[in-house]
Amino acid sequence: MNDAYRLDHVTYTYPGREHPAVLDLSLSIPEGRTTVLLGPNGAGKSTLMDLLLAWRRPETGTIALFNEDLGSYTKRHLGRTVSLVPQEEGSRFSFSVLEYVLFGRSPYLHELAAPKKHDIQIAYEAIGQVGIESIAHRSITTLSGGEHQLLLLARALAQQPRVLLLDEPTSSLDPGNTARVVRILKNLSEQGITLFFTTHDPSVAAECAHKVAMIARSSLLHSGDTDAVLTSELLTELYGTEMETFRRDGRLIVSRTHV
């Protein structure tokens, strides 16, 4: 299996900080699969995401994207290869859902050029993929939290990426919308898109990950197939509280042990 990303001994320290935010981290993200990064607050998840987006450059170590050094990608080339669904994003402007999703076509447009019919068709297809066709012409300022998360996902899909990065995609959602997003992510994976996302919720990882990586105190603790990593022992080590895993109707369930 080929890798979408490969990180080798990557270290990054914020200016003025003594301790690295990411320390000697090596990790592969397989192409066409879903990889989930678990870790507590302050573990280094957000910094790692910035490094994958080339928003930050490692002090030491290398990051390759489809066997090319990430630093060799132009902004336009990277935008056609990787897209991001941020944890949250606000706008002061009353764009319609369709107009906002069309921003995802930016890597394919010349500067100041208007979207063409082809771009509008792709935007509509992205809106359909996440199931928000009925609100395509509503103002984004009227959307609920769940609808806004689906909007961000649609915009990212309009980029037609090979790799989709998501930062805590279910953190602010109720159980119904969480289940909806998880179903969409599983469908995208079946279409061959490489998915990599961070989460605090191991249950979401259990639902859709092929591979799980655990990060704590800036370093990678464990990585591997989901069943091998999502164990009571490793989750307890990661979060510093008793965790339990068990199977019910073929599904892996993760819960915190009540004291």
Side-chain angles (χ1 to χ4, degrees), residues 217-232:
R217 297 177 296 279
S218 307
S219 299
L220 190 70
L221 293 182
H222 307 283
S223 70
D225 291 342
T226 301
D227 285 348
V229 176
L230 289 186
T231 66
S232 303

Side-chain angles (χ1 to χ4, degrees), residues 193-206:
I193 297 177
T194 302
L195 302 178
F196 178 83
F197 67 86
T198 63
T199 183
H200 291 291
D201 188 351
S203 295
V204 172

Side-chain angles (χ1 to χ4, degrees), residues 16 42 47 53 55 61 66 71 79 81 99 106 119 126 128 136 147 180 185 194 202 205 211 242 253 255:
T47 304
L53 290 161
W55 292 353
F66 294 112
T81 308
E99 289 169 335
S106 296
D119 300 301
E147 289 169 338
R180 186 178 184 184
L185 295 182
T194 302
K211 178 176 182 177
E242 289 293 328
I253 307 297
S255 66

Side-chain angles (χ1 to χ4, degrees), residues 170-203:
T170 62
S171 63
S172 61
L173 301 181
D174 59 43
N177 279 309
T178 294
R180 186 178 184 184
V181 168
V182 166
R183 284 195 301 271
I184 292 169
L185 295 182
K186 292 168 75 171
N187 288 337
L188 293 174
S189 179
E190 291 171 1
Q191 295 170 27
I193 297 177
T194 302
L195 302 178
F196 178 83
F197 67 86
T198 63
T199 183
H200 291 291
D201 188 351
S203 295

Side-chain angles (χ1 to χ4, degrees), residues 4 15 24 37-39 58 75 91 110 113 134 165 185 209 216 242 244 250:
D24 194 31
L37 183 67
L38 290 175
K75 186 176 181 180
S91 174
H110 294 295
S134 63
L165 306 179
L185 295 182
E242 289 293 328
E244 179 183 8

Side-chain angles (χ1 to χ4, degrees), residues 123-161:
Y124 270 121
E125 290 172 356
I127 288 169
Q129 277 186 282
V130 303
I132 55 174
E133 304 96 321
S134 63
I135 61 171
H137 299 286
R138 265 177 52 189
S139 168
I140 64 172
T141 61
T142 68
L143 302 184
S144 67
E147 289 169 338
H148 189 74
Q149 188 66 18
L150 295 172
L151 168 74
L152 296 177
L153 181 53
R155 186 189 61 179
L157 292 176
Q159 288 180 230
Q160 298 182 302

